[in-house]
Amino acid sequence: MTGRFPIEDVTPSVSCGRYPAKAVVGELVPVSAVSYREGHHALGVNVVWRGPDGESEPFTRMRPGEPGLDQWHAVIRPDRVGRWTFTVEAFDDPYRTWRDAVVKKIGAGQGLEDLANDLSEGAEVLDLAAKIVPNEDEDRVRDAAAALRDEQRSLFARVSPALDLEELLWHNPVRQLVTTTRSYAIWVDRKRALYSAWYEFFPRSEGAEIGPDAIPIKHGTFATAAERIPAVAAMGFNVLYLPPIHPIGKINRKGRNNTLVARPEDVGSPWAIGSDEGGHDAIHPQLGTLDDFRRFIGVARDHGLEVAMDLALQAAPDHPWVREHPEFFTRRADGTIAYAENPPKKYQDIYPLNWDNDYKGLRDEVYRVVMHWVDNGVKIFRVDNPHTKALNFWQWLIAKVKETDPDVLFLAEAFTRPAMMNGLGKIGFTQSYTYFTWRTTAWEMRQYMEQLLTSIDWMRPNFWPNTPDILHESLQHGGPPMFKIRAVLASMLTPSWGMYSGYELFEHVPRPGAEEYIDNEKFELKPRDWAAAERAGRSLAPYIGRLNRIRDENPALHWLRNLRFHEIDNANLLCFSKRDPDTGNTVLVVVSFDSANVQWGNTVLDMPALGKDWHERFTVVDQITGATYEWGQHNAVRIDPYVEPAHIFVVQPPA
């Protein structure tokens, strides 16, 4: 302990302050601490926070929590991107000490003679306060001090003006014996870091043509892929994620369905990056040129979409790095370069990088590549398998990029151990993929969300119901209602969610015995007839668009800290809500996890979490069907998955 008063358990603090906590511009960030003192004198606690320019903001007074626990709480709201810092201060508050004592003594029947010293001491405190309060309040404080000294007045007339200063001197306290903690950091991103809706497609499949056995006839380009952008925007997405757009290796190229021997016409996996046509800073010539890519970004921007690029740090055997920087790779005993393996799986078309041979050279080369794309308009990177690369590299790279462009965001595609996923968040990754896909019961989902809420200061979840690699059995067998269920859960539980193209067409056929798609688009062109599907009513696109519009229209859904669960007596149903403290906007969701059967449930709502008193009745409007209901704490709810598998209610303000 240092200083006069103990200050403990400060939050947000990531790994005891080793890493910055995370927030976004406009987010209400809770700050808490435990602080206490000896005796009965009043203790005050406040937060002092500084913006990226180092200038101090007006301090924020912390309020006590549950009686007897000595916990203090405040909320701060950063308004700029960059590195913010805060300290917690504890101080002796002589005005509150005086006020509490005088109120108790008067209540006990003490009079002017008994309180003579108290009145004099109070006047001295107010003399100090008059030098602190805003100019417009100075006369009021001085008048109260004069009243305390005026022996011609009654006790009530002498003390009342001073007692009435409680609110003013709460926000402008006399602070003595101030004790200050160490500085804690918060990295503040732009809001897209927390609130985003991602859509993934392969540009080479858009406008492509194939013949029998998926033999490519025509390869998609950035120009043909741009024709798909209006439809993606119409579904309400704001991030368009592209798998790698670089030249694809020709040596050991994988064939259709991941076969080891490719046919001459096979296009290979975009993640096998690099050939004689270039490496990570080049564009696959069949997609177009760098100018074509810039035009594609421009079209996306005109439709409200940011383009996210895949950053996959690995190389095909014919990548220029293999020839120019063999030290970037691992040599085996026979002198060959080691290809990627995840035993028993083998990836002969990919060489992993070795971070221990020439760390500085490799790190600087990757930084050059990333900044090349940043300079060409890319501000979001989806990072492939970051958990297989050195963590100190990522910490360096992300910080280095943000030195010159703090708006750049990084999504970690790390389906791995929780400690590693949390560690990637702590060292700087903006968002993370999660285990959402494998949480298939209401109990599992609630437990998982409550777990994620404990890590909100360093790991922001992004929920995906599918990816090119993942087709969960719930989608394989759950039918169209399950596609709705997973989309509702992904889009309503978290501020960031995404889906891989084909989801809106209910694509659900797996490779036998696997949790992935048959005829995987990673290894072949996969053109889809979007228009025909919509004409035939075989598209979920209108429903997806409705979900994203609900998100946009309701600020409660833009945050994660406000998630609250409510009790419901059916294990197949999940009930949760979000409330925006600024607008009062409140969204209440009841969703079924059963895609085949009607489910009934009875709710017991946490009414204060909805901004209501326990006895109140209120109106809710279903944002999917438009139906209106009168609800209270206890409600019966029926969900038929073949009608709608979820209620998404907006709580209406009082008439």
Side-chain angles (χ1 to χ4, degrees):
M1 184 180 82
T2 58
R4 181 65 171 78
F5 306 115
I7 307 174
E8 305 166 353
D9 300 335
V10 176
T11 66
S13 173
V14 179
S15 295
C16 300
R18 181 178 179 184
Y19 306 106
K22 284 185 171 67
V24 298
V25 171
E27 184 175 5
L28 294 172
V29 182
V31 179
S32 69
V34 171
S35 190
Y36 48 93
R37 67 170 299 173
E38 79 293 341
H40 301 289
H41 284 210
L43 183 71
V45 185
N46 63 258
V47 181
V48 176
W49 47 305
R50 294 174 176 83
D53 56 6
E55 295 296 319
S56 294
E57 302 288 327
F59 76 71
T60 302
R61 190 79 184 257
M62 302 181 77
R63 294 190 179 273
E66 292 293 327
L69 298 182
D70 294 304
Q71 292 178 329
W72 300 81
H73 303 277
V75 174
I76 60 177
R77 190 199 301 263
D79 58 5
R80 283 160 287 162
V81 169
R83 189 178 189 274
W84 291 68
T85 59
F86 73 93
T87 57
V88 176
E89 297 177 333
F91 56 91
D92 176 75
D93 186 341
Y95 170 75
R96 291 198 65 81
T97 299
W98 174 85
R99 190 184 191 282
D100 292 346
V102 166
V103 168
K104 290 176 181 177
K105 290 178 180 181
I106 292 175
Q110 295 185 24
L112 278 170
E113 183 177 346
D114 300 306
L115 295 173
N117 286 327
D118 296 274
L119 301 185
S120 296
E121 291 163 359
E124 292 173 1
V125 171
L126 295 188
D127 289 342
L128 297 174
K131 302 174 183 179
I132 296 171
V133 297
N135 292 337
E136 61 269 23
D137 295 305
E138 184 177 345
D139 289 343
R140 180 183 169 201
V141 176
R142 293 195 183 281
D143 290 345
L148 288 172
R149 293 186 171 104
D150 188 350
E151 297 181 358
Q152 303 305 311
R153 297 191 183 197
S154 67
L155 175 60
F156 177 81
R158 292 178 71 175
V159 300
S160 290
L163 298 180
D164 290 342
L165 296 174
E166 181 179 21
E167 186 68 18
L168 175 63
L169 297 188
W170 172 265
H171 296 290
N172 302 275
V174 175
R175 302 191 309 150
Q176 298 176 337
L177 305 176
V178 177
T179 301
T180 304
T181 66
R182 53 158 292 183
S183 178
Y184 296 85
I186 302 176
W187 178 266
V188 177
D189 283 303
R190 58 191 175 107
K191 192 174 178 182
R192 180 70 73 235
L194 178 64
Y195 179 67
S196 56
W198 295 54
Y199 185 86
E200 176 181 3
F201 76 50
F202 287 68
R204 70 183 188 181
S205 290
E206 299 302 324
E209 297 177 12
I210 58 174
D213 296 324
I215 293 291
I217 297 173
K218 180 182 177 183
H219 194 284
T221 67
F222 286 127
T224 58
E227 297 175 9
R228 175 71 180 149
I229 287 176
V232 175
M235 285 187 285
F237 292 99
N238 48 45
V239 177
L240 178 55
Y241 156 51
L242 306 182
I245 58 173
H246 315 298
I248 296 172
K250 300 170 184 176
I251 298 175
N252 295 338
R253 176 175 287 191
K254 293 292 185 75
R256 189 185 185 201
N257 280 316
N258 202 19
T259 56
L260 289 179
V261 180
R263 302 170 298 185
E265 305 88 355
D266 283 335
V267 292
S269 168
W271 282 271
I273 297 171
S275 73
D276 56 354
E277 297 161 328
H280 283 74
D281 56 357
I283 287 176
H284 195 298
Q286 287 182 279
L287 288 173
T289 66
L290 184 58
D291 286 339
D292 294 328
F293 180 56
R294 289 197 195 101
R295 280 190 284 272
F296 179 87
I297 291 176
V299 174
R301 186 184 304 114
D302 291 344
H303 286 83
L305 286 153
E306 283 193 67
V307 172
M309 173 178 277
D310 197 282
L311 181 60
L313 297 185
Q314 59 218 20
D318 39 339
H319 192 295
W321 284 346
V322 178
R323 180 181 67 256
E324 299 167 7
H325 296 283
E327 69 277 9
F328 288 177
F329 305 95
T330 299
R331 291 280 180 183
R332 306 210 64 182
D334 62 1
T336 60
I337 293 178
Y339 57 74
E341 293 186 79
N342 183 12
K345 294 182 179 180
K346 297 180 179 182
Y347 303 92
Q348 296 90 338
D349 58 339
I350 293 174
Y351 287 169
L353 300 173
N354 186 320
W355 296 92
D356 299 317
N357 287 347
D358 181 17
Y359 172 71
K360 185 177 186 303
L362 179 52
R363 150 194 116 167
D364 291 346
E365 173 65 1
V366 174
Y367 174 72
R368 181 192 67 80
V369 167
V370 170
M371 293 310 297
H372 167 74
W373 296 113
V374 171
D375 292 341
N376 281 283
V378 177
K379 296 299 180 74
I380 304 179
F381 293 89
R382 178 269 197 190
V383 180
D384 188 67
N385 287 330
H387 56 291
T388 62
K389 286 80 179 176
L391 269 70
N392 62 328
F393 158 73
W394 290 124
Q395 185 174 14
W396 175 87
L397 177 71
I398 294 171
K400 183 74 172 174
V401 171
K402 286 182 175 288
E403 282 178 8
T404 54
D405 201 325
D407 282 344
V408 177
L409 311 178
F410 294 86
L411 167 64
E413 187 250 1
F415 297 105
T416 184
R417 306 181 307 280
M420 174 63 79
M421 294 174 70
N422 281 280
L424 291 167
K426 291 174 182 178
I427 63 173
F429 273 91
T430 314
Q431 296 181 2
S432 177
Y433 283 74
T434 67
Y435 302 129
F436 163 80
T437 306
W438 298 276
R439 300 300 185 262
T440 57
T441 69
W443 180 86
E444 289 175 326
M445 191 65 74
R446 176 169 177 170
Q447 293 293 309
Y448 187 50
M449 289 305 307
E450 289 173 343
Q451 173 189 332
L452 288 175
L453 286 171
T454 65
S455 59
I456 192 173
D457 288 328
W458 61 86
M459 194 181 94
R460 299 190 188 103
N462 192 325
F463 281 2
W464 291 68
N466 74 327
T467 76
D469 290 310
I470 301 170
L471 174 63
H472 191 268
E473 63 178 359
S474 61
L475 296 179
Q476 296 175 23
H477 308 298
M482 184 57 71
F483 280 75
K484 285 187 173 183
I485 288 169
R486 300 307 293 184
V488 167
L489 290 168
S491 62
M492 297 293 130
L493 280 169
T494 61
S496 286
W497 81 294
M499 72 182 210
Y500 158 56
S501 60
Y503 189 90
E504 65 269 51
L505 300 187
F506 307 104
E507 291 179 1
H508 65 282
V509 180
R511 183 168 62 84
E515 197 178 65
E516 60 186 53
Y517 292 90
I518 191 70
D519 301 331
N520 197 303
E521 194 172 3
K522 288 177 62 176
F523 305 102
E524 62 184 85
L525 304 181
K526 197 164 189 175
R528 299 171 173 91
D529 193 339
W530 305 104
E534 291 209 30
R535 286 195 301 270
R538 292 184 292 103
S539 173
L540 196 61
Y543 190 83
I544 298 297
R546 184 63 192 139
L547 293 180
N548 280 328
R549 283 193 296 277
I550 293 169
R551 284 162 49 87
D552 285 344
E553 293 166 0
N554 290 279
L557 297 172
H558 297 186
W559 312 105
L560 182 57
R561 299 180 191 273
N562 58 351
L563 177 64
R564 299 292 182 271
F565 289 98
H566 303 265
E567 301 306 318
I568 191 163
D569 64 357
N570 184 330
N572 292 294
L573 302 178
L574 186 67
C575 183
F576 59 92
S577 68
K578 291 187 175 185
R579 178 173 172 80
D580 179 58
D582 286 336
T583 63
N585 172 246
T586 306
V587 177
L588 176 64
V589 179
V590 184
V591 57
S592 176
F593 280 68
D594 184 347
S595 64
N597 302 289
V598 174
Q599 296 290 339
W600 281 90
N602 297 287
T603 69
V604 182
L605 300 181
D606 178 354
M607 297 293 280
L610 304 176
K612 305 293 182 184
D613 205 346
W614 291 104
H615 66 277
E616 285 190 72
R617 303 289 295 175
F618 55 93
T619 302
V620 294
V621 177
D622 192 314
Q623 301 301 290
I624 300 296
T625 65
T628 298
Y629 303 89
E630 293 299 315
W631 272 36
Q633 182 185 10
H634 301 278
N635 312 278
V637 60
R638 177 184 186 273
I639 293 183
D640 182 343
Y642 292 100
V643 178
E644 288 298 344
H647 290 298
I648 303 176
F649 295 127
V650 170
V651 177
Q652 301 302 291

